[in-house]
């Protein structure tokens, strides 16, 4: 099937009618390219809602991948919500991506919730990816907390001071994680200084 959008032509992949979405392996590549057609997507959504848990997880990942490849943020978020609430509430990788999406769309409080949940479920990451993922997650949490702090700019007062304190704690944790894993800590140092500490005090945190 061909869909034309302005000057752009997108080739949509259509599964054989007799087995519209039975073979997950065949669907992985077109899903990664955002090429699943409407009939196949409808079939997958029905399968996700009625299949066994293992198959539901595989189908859900296909729906998420297809929406991501198509840059369809609304559909991607819809599928991610279903995935995290009904299928796999310990998927730290999807939680992290969802938190990044929320922060990008100026929804910092929601982003913080999912970033913290991803940290709680960090055991789901493979051992060889754990430290890199924790580093990126701490960066995300610090940036998110800074966005929350900035959202209180007009209000000021105790809530803004409390938010700044959270930025300090997160940036210190990021500095220490960077030092432990020999990662670049310049951005973490920048947030530590922005949160009110001088460079010497921030640098000391790397030696603790």
């Amino acid at each position: 099937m061909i869909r034309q959008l302005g000057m752009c032509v997108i080739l949509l992949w259509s599964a054989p009618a007799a087995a519209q979405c039975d073979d997950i392996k065949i669907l992985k590549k077109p899903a990664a390219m955002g090429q699943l057609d409407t009939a196949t997507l409808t079939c997958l959504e029905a399968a996700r809602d009625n299949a066994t848990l293992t198959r539901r997880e595989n189908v859900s990942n296909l729906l998420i991948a297809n929406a991501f490849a198509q840059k369809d943020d609304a559909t991607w978020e819809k599928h991610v919500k279903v995935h995290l609430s009904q299928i796999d509430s310990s998927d730290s990788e999807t939680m992290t991506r969802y938190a990044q999406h929320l922060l990008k769309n100026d929804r910092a409080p929601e982003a913080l919730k999912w970033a913290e949940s991803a940290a709680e479920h960090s055991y789901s990451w493979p051992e060889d990816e754990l430290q890199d993922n924790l580093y990126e997650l701490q960066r995300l949490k610090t940036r998110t907390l800074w966005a929350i702090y900035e959202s209180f700019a007009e209000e000021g007062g105790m809530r803004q001071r409390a938010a700044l304190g959270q930025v300090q704690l997160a940036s210190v944790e990021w500095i220490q994680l960077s030092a432990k894993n020999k990662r670049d800590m310049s951005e973490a140092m920048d947030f530590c200084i922005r949160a009110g500490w001088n460079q010497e005090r921030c640098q000391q945190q790397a030696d603790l």
Side-chain angles (χ1 to χ4, degrees):
M1 179 182 297
I2 298 178
R3 178 185 298 168
Q4 185 164 347
L5 300 175
M7 298 298 293
C8 215
V9 175
I10 299 177
L11 296 177
L12 296 180
W13 189 92
S14 181
Q20 194 73 51
C21 63
D22 285 349
D23 195 331
I24 298 298
K25 290 182 180 179
I26 290 178
L27 296 173
K28 281 186 176 181
K29 184 175 180 179
M33 300 174 69
Q35 293 179 342
L36 298 182
D37 71 348
T38 301
T40 304
L41 292 171
T42 300
C43 179
L44 286 170
E45 288 196 44
R48 179 193 61 191
D49 297 338
N50 296 288
T52 62
L53 183 57
T54 300
R55 178 167 168 78
R56 289 181 73 199
E57 183 175 355
N58 292 332
V59 169
S60 180
N61 286 327
L62 285 179
L63 290 167
I64 291 170
N66 190 75
F68 181 80
Q70 290 189 339
K71 296 181 170 51
D72 184 345
D73 285 353
T75 300
W76 180 85
E77 181 172 346
K78 180 186 74 171
H79 291 320
V80 165
K81 283 181 176 179
V82 172
H83 184 85
L84 293 176
S85 65
Q86 300 179 24
I87 298 172
D88 188 354
S89 60
S90 64
D91 187 343
S92 52
E93 182 175 352
T94 299
M95 290 178 193
T96 302
R97 291 178 179 174
Y98 188 33
Q100 291 169 336
H101 164 79
L102 292 168
L103 180 60
K104 180 181 176 181
N105 287 277
D106 299 320
R107 295 158 64 184
E110 293 176 78
L112 181 61
K113 169 193 168 184
W114 287 106
E116 290 178 337
S117 186
E120 291 171 7
H121 294 87
S122 60
Y123 58 80
S124 68
W125 277 316
E127 188 63 32
D128 60 341
E129 298 176 8
L130 180 60
Q131 293 306 317
D132 285 343
N133 288 341
L134 287 175
Y135 177 89
E136 294 301 329
L137 184 57
Q138 194 59 35
R139 168 189 279 169
L140 173 62
K141 287 174 65 178
T142 307
R143 289 175 170 176
T144 302
L145 286 163
W146 182 260
I148 291 173
Y149 163 74
E150 289 191 315
S151 72
F152 293 134
E154 293 185 10
E155 176 184 326
M158 292 182 62
R159 289 212 296 175
Q160 188 182 38
R161 289 194 294 273
L164 188 61
Q166 291 296 309
V167 175
Q168 288 175 338
L169 292 173
S171 63
V172 166
E173 188 174 344
W174 187 7
I175 288 170
Q176 294 172 344
L177 191 63
S178 302
K180 177 183 177 182
N181 294 287
K182 297 180 173 56
R183 296 289 300 268
D184 176 50
M185 65 176 70
S186 57
E187 189 178 0
M189 288 285 291
D190 180 55
F191 275 105
C192 183
I193 293 168
R194 279 200 251 174
W197 288 6
N198 61 38
Q199 184 159 352
E200 182 180 3
R201 187 177 182 186
C202 292
Q203 183 63 50
Q204 288 172 348
Q205 307 309 309
D207 303 324
L208 296 179

